[in-house]
Amino acid sequence: MKSVICFVALAASASAFAPEANNARVATSVNAEARREVFGKIAAAGAAFLPVAANAAVGESPRFSVFGLVGDGTSYSEGAAYGTDQSEQLYSPYSVYSPLGEKSLYKADNAEFLARKKAVLAETKKRLQKIPGYVDKKEWFNVKDELTRYMYETRGAVRSLSTSVTQKEKAEVFFRALEDTYGAATLKKGDVVKASNDKAIAALDAFSATI
């Protein structure tokens, strides 16, 4: 009797799980079909937006272009880049700007431009004059910061204002003095920092006098 009861219980348990397994397989199959249908629609929609030019015609040789300089500049890979859509000549194939000319907004002899560069040199001198105080306090990090955070503007101003050989030579003397000052600050040599800084200020004054 007990054996019959156990057999019936096991059969009932097995029959209880059977529909769920079938349902799981059916659900998985349905989901897979739904995913394939969705992906198929997406692919079809994307293909509809592809330009006809992307497909080569029968018997047509492949079209190519190397940066718009060699080959067919109208090829699909180029579009209207590299100046083909510009009304005027470009500075280079990689630029969207025209060469420097009479119509250019930038003028090298512009009084406002010159005044801004001179202001940078004046500010540079003020910052260099702070360095001896930093040295006395052994604030080497301030010395190095002062020689880097604004001197990028200084180098740009000096380079742009150096038009003659004499000015370029004086600019090099100034730059070398700055480098010596920075190197001495790294080694924490206070006397060398002050001496190099004095040379930098003198070189800056000598350069400014030529402008």
Side-chain angles (χ1 to χ4, degrees):
M1 185 63 180
K2 291 183 179 180
S3 300
V4 174
I5 294 175
C6 291
F7 176 78
V8 172
L10 290 174
S13 300
S15 61
F17 285 105
E20 292 185 4
N22 292 335
N23 290 337
R25 287 195 294 270
V26 172
T28 303
S29 178
V30 171
N31 291 336
E33 291 294 337
R35 284 195 297 270
R36 282 196 291 269
E37 183 179 358
V38 171
F39 290 140
K41 291 181 178 179
I42 293 175
F49 288 98
L50 291 177
V52 179
N55 299 323
V58 178
E60 182 183 16
S61 299
R63 293 183 298 167
F64 71 95
S65 176
V66 181
F67 301 117
L69 303 176
V70 180
D72 183 4
T74 64
S75 62
Y76 176 64
S77 61
E78 294 299 329
Y82 303 108
T84 59
D85 61 343
Q86 301 294 327
S87 59
E88 297 182 1
Q89 183 181 1
L90 300 181
Y91 174 77
S92 75
Y94 313 101
S95 173
V96 297
Y97 302 106
S98 301
L100 184 64
E102 296 180 356
K103 297 181 180 180
S104 301
L105 297 177
Y106 167 78
K107 304 291 183 183
D109 57 351
N110 188 295
E112 182 180 355
F113 169 78
L114 182 60
R116 290 177 59 185
K117 297 303 179 183
K118 287 184 176 180
V120 171
L121 299 184
E123 177 63 22
T124 298
K125 185 174 181 178
K126 291 180 181 179
R127 291 172 180 265
L128 292 177
Q129 290 173 338
K130 297 179 181 180
I131 288 182
Y134 294 144
V135 174
D136 293 338
K137 298 177 183 178
K138 298 186 183 302
E139 296 178 350
W140 309 111
F141 63 94
N142 277 330
V143 175
K144 297 171 73 173
D145 286 349
E146 208 66 76
L147 292 172
T148 53
R149 59 188 170 192
Y150 189 78
M151 296 305 157
Y152 181 84
E153 294 290 335
T154 302
R155 288 181 180 272
V158 172
R159 293 294 187 193
S160 62
L161 294 172
S162 300
T163 56
S164 66
V165 176
T166 301
Q167 288 176 326
K168 292 179 180 179
E169 291 176 348
K170 292 183 180 297
E172 290 301 322
V173 173
F174 171 62
F175 292 148
R176 180 59 61 86
L178 289 181
E179 294 171 1
D180 292 341
T181 305
Y182 188 92
T186 301
L187 299 175
K188 299 181 179 180
K189 295 182 178 180
D191 294 338
V192 180
V193 171
K194 289 183 177 181
S196 299
N197 187 64
D198 290 341
K199 291 180 180 179
I201 294 175
L204 180 60
D205 290 337
F207 174 81
S208 300
T210 65
I211 303 173

